[in-house]
Amino acid sequence: MARIELQKVAHSYLARPAGEEDFAVKELDLTWDDGGAYALLGPSGCGKTTLLNIISGLLTPSRGQVVFDGRDVTREKPEQRNIAQVFQFPVIYDTMTVRQNLAFPLKNRRVPDNEIVARVAEIARMIDLESVLDRKARNLSADQKQKISLGRGLVRSDVNAILFDEPLTVIDPHLKWQLRSQLKKLHREFAFTMVYVTHDQTEALTFADKVVVMYEGEVVQIGTPEDLFERPRHTFVGYFIGSPGMNVAPVTIEGNRAILGGHAIELARGYPDTPVGAKLELGTRPEFIRFVDNGRARDSEGLPVTVKRVDDIGRFKVAKVELAGVPLAVVADEDTVIDGDEARIAFDADHVHIYADSQLVEGVAS
Ligand code: ADP
Ligand code: MG
């Protein structure tokens, strides 16, 4: 296992990039701790695969260094870096049996036969391929082929890291859950450094101890699932993670208040240093807005909203409301009574964040 550092790494697929926008991965410094379980999360096209291929050595970055345990490996080939990589689609030898496929990475490394036998049996059991070990890979289903691919990634115990690039895309939903649990178990057992790429927040949040969120070629936040929920550092993190995502609305700031559509919202902190000319926004998750008096309030405290729609989703209700024409989502308890199209809402000041040009502003205690 290894600690992996990316130092001032940037990558453009163009020979002569003209500006920032020509970079698939913009300059970043990033450390993956030895033994960490990471998810690399972001929408399609944001640079996840590019970053993964830079770590494994399939790609040499246009700029910067890749360092494993203090050793510069930027110019080393994937084989020299000793990394296992599992791709989105199966990479297997069709004419070999499942057993031969699983054994191949070990044979290649001249692992003793008895160890190979034991390890292949262990992995086959773990990912439920025991019953097909002696069948030719080409006769198997897409699911099973991808499991072989996964097995080939997991079979070596001497790797610096295992990288997964959306490996469960072709796997059916039930099996997905099962395989993800197996990966987590494997991580606990062997403490591999694992980087798991996905565009699916549920996959990321259930697999990883730390989630690295990418957006348009940049890492916008690294944090625990809780960090990402409680304190999104970028508005993108706020609305990409969560269901529904964070409410983001344009505001102006007056002392300890944010003014939204003419209404004042109390803030827990002051923002004397917001950059001049920056686009200011308020961000708050639907879970931290409540209906005053359980939805019955008409002219008491709180701010008046028009209720546009209410969806019952089991233990909660999700309401779409408008505050002075600004759309907001509110997650309310199932016993909230919302009849008619008028209600009043209140914000939880401790969970109202202020963003300048999409970046979280810390603010000062007041
Ligand atoms: P993700 O894995 O997050 O979907 P990628 O890393 O594959 O994103 O792609 C990032 C950006 O780089 C995209 O705009 C994509 O079109 C571009 N890109 C990816 N691979 C290549 C390539 N081989 N040549 C040119 N552009 C590429
Ligand atoms: Mg990709």
Side-chain angles (χ1 to χ4, degrees):
M1 298 303 112
R3 171 189 160 93
I4 298 171
E5 288 168 273
L6 303 178
Q7 299 173 349
K8 299 206 180 316
V9 160
H11 189 72
S12 173
Y13 286 100
L14 304 180
R16 267 189 290 290
E20 276 268 283
E21 66 284 358
D22 286 341
F23 280 79
V25 168
K26 294 175 187 144
E27 186 173 303
L28 51 81
D29 285 284
L30 197 53
T31 299
W32 311 83
D33 287 329
D34 193 358
Y38 294 92
L40 184 54
L41 174 69
S44 178
C46 72
K48 303 181 298 295
T49 295
T50 304
L51 194 60
L52 212 63
N53 289 345
I54 289 172
I55 297 173
S56 69
L58 287 175
L59 209 56
T60 307
S62 319
R63 297 205 304 259
Q65 275 80 49
V66 182
V67 177
F68 284 12
D69 282 335
R71 189 168 61 89
D72 187 339
V73 300
T74 317
R75 311 277 142 199
E76 287 186 3
K77 293 189 171 57
E79 309 83 79
Q80 296 168 294
R81 296 189 192 190
N82 207 8
I83 288 240
Q85 191 166 5
V86 181
F87 301 92
Q88 197 163 2
F89 299 102
V91 179
I92 57 173
Y93 296 101
D94 254 355
T95 57
M96 289 188 190
T97 63
V98 174
R99 189 189 302 280
Q100 288 165 334
N101 264 288
L102 293 179
F104 194 80
L106 301 178
K107 278 220 164 14
N108 240 353
R109 300 234 142 209
R110 299 181 202 292
V111 172
D113 280 346
N114 58 331
E115 261 177 58
I116 295 181
V117 170
R119 189 79 184 145
V120 166
E122 187 182 3
I123 292 295
R125 178 173 42 75
M126 192 165 254
I127 55 179
D128 199 20
L129 282 176
E130 281 172 303
S131 62
V132 294
L133 268 177
D134 293 307
R135 291 182 50 191
K136 288 266 201 287
R138 68 162 168 263
N139 298 326
L140 302 181
S141 67
D143 271 7
Q144 285 172 316
K145 285 186 184 177
Q146 184 61 346
K147 284 212 252 172
I148 302 173
S149 221
L150 211 51
R152 284 163 49 86
L154 299 172
V155 77
R156 287 169 55 197
S157 50
D158 65 336
V159 288
N160 280 322
I162 311 183
L163 312 180
F164 302 92
D165 196 351
E166 313 215 27
L168 305 185
T169 311
V170 294
I171 304 266
D172 90 48
H174 170 70
L175 207 56
K176 244 184 206 178
W177 186 85
Q178 195 185 330
L179 284 173
R180 214 164 50 226
S181 317
Q182 293 288 19
L183 291 182
K184 232 183 138 78
K185 182 157 162 265
L186 214 72
H187 179 258
R188 277 196 295 267
E189 218 167 301
F190 297 103
F192 290 121
T193 307
M194 285 187 175
V195 182
Y196 186 102
V197 169
T198 177
H199 62 268
D200 177 329
Q201 56 162 317
T202 314
E203 252 184 63
L205 300 179
T206 51
F207 172 77
D209 304 326
K210 281 251 177 85
V211 182
V212 178
V213 186
M214 279 187 87
Y215 176 61
E216 295 185 345
E218 290 181 72
V219 169
V220 287
Q221 186 163 5
I222 303 172
T224 61
E226 193 192 351
D227 295 334
L228 303 180
F229 185 80
E230 290 277 328
R231 281 180 72 73
R233 301 205 59 82
H234 190 284
T235 49
F236 173 75
V237 176
Y239 52 73
F240 193 64
I241 290 164
S243 180
M246 183 171 76
N247 294 298
V248 179
V251 288
T252 54
I253 304 287
E254 289 178 8
N256 274 22
R257 296 164 143 199
I259 310 300
L260 196 169
H263 296 285
I265 294 163
E266 300 293 331
L267 303 171
R269 299 169 79 81
Y271 297 86
D273 300 325
T274 48
V276 177
K279 176 184 66 174
L280 290 182
E281 288 166 308
L282 169 152
T284 195
R285 292 205 174 271
E287 289 82 354
F288 300 120
I289 304 178
R290 67 182 173 86
F291 284 102
V292 177
D293 195 16
N294 246 0
R296 291 188 189 85
R298 288 294 176 268
D299 50 11
S300 56
E301 52 165 330
L303 305 171
V305 292
T306 311
V307 179
K308 292 291 179 184
R309 98 177 250 168
V310 180
D311 289 311
D312 220 315
I313 53 162
R315 290 193 295 124
F316 303 102
K317 287 178 176 169
V318 176
K320 299 280 162 58
V321 304
E322 280 184 11
L323 175 62
V326 178
L328 298 168
V330 180
V331 170
D333 291 339
E334 58 185 335
D335 59 355
T336 307
V337 189
I338 306 161
D339 48 357
D341 57 4
E342 280 175 42
R344 298 182 84 88
I345 58 167
F347 290 77
D348 174 353
D350 286 331
H351 289 97
V352 175
H353 305 299
I354 298 298
Y355 296 85
D357 291 334
S358 307
Q359 305 282 341
L360 181 72
V361 187
E362 291 295 339
V364 294
S366 53

